[in-house]
Amino acid sequence: MQTPRSNRRQFVLGALGAATLGAASPRLFAQGWPERPITFICPWPAGGTADQSMRALCTVAGRVLGQAIAVENRAGASGMIGAKALASAKPDGYTIGQIPISVTRFSQLGTLQADPRKDFSYIARTSGQTFGIAVPAASPFKTLQDLVAAAKARPGQVTYAHAGVGGATHVGMEEFALAAGIQLNHVPYKGGAEALQGVLGGHVDALADSSSWAPHVEAGKLRLLATWGEQRTARFKDTPTLKDLGYNVVVDAPNGIGAPKGLDPAVLAKLRDAFRQAVASPEFKAVADKLDAPLLYLDGPDYEKYVYAVYEKETMLIDKLRLRELMRN
C-alpha cells in the first residue's frame, strides 16, 4: 500500500526525470540530426548564376552531412519572397537557404517584412558576384572616362539599364555616379536578362549588371568599361575596377547561407562545418570560376557581423540616394 509520503516521492522523482529528459532533448536531437533530407530555399530562378552556385554548394554540404539537400526555387521581389519564406520557416534545421545581402536594404525599405538583425541564423558567407558596366561595341564610350565626360556635359541624359529599383545594380551604379559627381538616367527592367536586351537592342546607352554581359563581351558585341570588385577578374584582367579608376566603390553582393532564427546551436555548428567544407571544395571552386564569382568565405559569426555592418551602410545609402522616394515612384 502506498503512503502519502511515497506518492510525493514518486511525483518528485517523476518531475525530475521529465526535467532531465527535457534538458537533454535538444542535445539528443542535434546528435541525430539530420535524419531526413534538408530543404534549401533559393530566392532566384532556376538556372541563374546564384542558383548554379547554391546547387554546387548543397551537393557537397549534403555529402558532408549524410543527407540530400534539395534546392527549392522561390523567386520574386528581388529575392525577398525566398528570404521571407526562410525567416518564417520552422527553426529545426530542415529548412535553410540563401540570404541575399540586399535583405539589409529591402528590410529598411519595407519590401521585406523581416529584420536581418533578428530573424536569421547565419551559417556562412560564400561567394560574390562580378558586376560591371558594359556598352555596345559601337558605342562612342571607349572608356569609363568617356562615359563620365559625356554625363558631365549632358547631365541626366546618359542612360543605363539595370535589374530593378533598389537592387544591387541600381544602387551600385548610383554609388558610382555620386563618387564621379555625375547624374545618370536610370532605366529599370524586370531583371538582368531584359536589361541586357535593352542595351543589345540599342535602347539604352549602358548596362549595369552581373556577369550576364560576359559572353557578349567575349563575342565582341559589348565593351566592358569597368568591374566593381575589390580586384580585377582573371577572365577580364585587362578591364579596370572602379577603384583602379579612382572611385572608392566596391560592389560584390556576396551570397550567404542561413536558417531561421532560433536554430539549435549544435545543429548550427554542424551546418557551419558542412558549408565551410563545401566552399573549400574543388567542385564549388570550379563552378565559381565559371561564373566569375570570387570566393568570399566567412564563418557564421563573422558573416553575421558583416551583415550588421552592411545594414548600417545601407541606412546611409537609402537616405543619400533617396531610395524611398524612388521606390514610391
Side-chain angles (χ1 to χ4, degrees):
M1 179 177 176
Q2 290 186 327
T3 65
R5 179 178 292 181
S6 66
N7 284 338
R8 284 198 301 272
R9 184 170 179 271
Q10 287 182 0
F11 175 79
V12 171
L13 288 174
L16 286 172
T20 302
L21 179 62
S25 60
R27 192 184 333 177
L28 293 173
F29 169 74
Q31 286 175 355
W33 181 91
E35 297 177 321
R36 55 186 170 85
I38 298 164
T39 296
F40 185 98
I41 297 175
C42 177
W44 309 106
T49 55
D51 178 69
Q52 292 178 55
S53 64
M54 293 300 109
R55 287 178 186 274
L57 281 172
C58 288
T59 297
V60 180
R63 206 158 56 222
V64 174
L65 292 168
Q67 284 286 355
I69 301 178
V71 176
E72 182 179 304
N73 298 92
R74 295 204 197 176
S78 299
M80 295 305 104
I81 289 177
K84 176 59 178 174
L86 179 61
S88 303
K90 185 178 179 180
D92 57 5
Y94 288 103
T95 302
I96 60 176
Q98 183 198 355
I99 301 177
I101 194 59
S102 53
V103 295
T104 57
R105 178 165 59 254
F106 285 119
S107 62
Q108 298 186 64
L109 291 171
T111 305
L112 172 65
Q113 301 304 313
D115 188 334
R117 302 167 300 176
K118 300 176 182 177
D119 296 328
F120 296 106
S121 297
Y122 291 94
I123 296 168
R125 190 179 77 175
T126 58
S127 59
Q129 301 177 60
T130 294
F131 293 98
I133 303 169
V135 296
S139 170
F141 306 143
K142 307 300 182 186
T143 66
L144 190 65
Q145 291 91 329
D146 291 339
L147 185 149
V148 170
K152 286 184 175 179
R154 298 181 284 118
Q157 294 185 44
V158 174
T159 59
Y160 74 91
H162 62 83
V165 174
T169 51
H170 173 227
V171 173
M173 196 67 163
E174 291 301 319
E175 266 196 277
F176 155 65
L178 274 176
I182 58 176
Q183 181 184 347
L184 299 170
N185 184 1
H186 77 101
V187 181
Y189 285 80
K190 291 181 180 178
E194 288 190 16
L196 172 66
Q197 292 307 313
V199 175
L200 288 172
H203 307 298
V204 191
D205 294 322
L207 171 68
D209 199 15
S210 57
S211 51
S212 64
W213 35 258
H216 302 281
V217 171
E218 291 179 325
K221 294 180 180 179
L222 292 177
R223 180 183 303 115
L224 184 60
L225 302 184
T227 54
W228 300 0
E230 190 71 46
Q231 307 288 338
R232 295 190 185 196
T233 67
R235 191 173 173 189
F236 300 101
K237 59 181 182 297
D238 293 332
T239 300
T241 66
L242 291 176
K243 288 188 73 174
D244 287 338
L245 297 171
Y247 307 107
N248 189 26
V249 176
V250 174
V251 181
D252 43 29
N255 295 322
I257 310 296
K261 195 69 175 179
L263 192 61
D264 180 85
V267 172
L268 182 58
K270 285 187 176 183
L271 283 165
R272 285 166 53 194
D273 179 64
F275 279 95
R276 176 185 59 78
Q277 294 186 53
V279 174
S281 69
E283 296 99 315
F284 182 63
K285 186 177 186 308
V287 172
D289 287 345
K290 176 186 172 184
L291 299 174
D292 300 303
L295 299 184
L296 299 171
Y297 174 75
L298 284 177
D299 191 16
D302 290 327
Y303 174 35
E304 185 172 9
K305 291 176 186 174
Y306 169 78
V307 170
Y308 270 69
V310 174
Y311 188 98
E312 296 300 324
K313 177 186 175 185
E314 294 290 2
T315 302
M316 294 183 287
L317 272 179
I318 287 168
D319 292 336
K320 191 181 292 185
L321 300 178
R322 297 180 294 109
L323 288 180
R324 289 187 178 87
E325 179 182 328
L326 288 173
M327 294 287 283
R328 285 194 296 267
N329 294 335

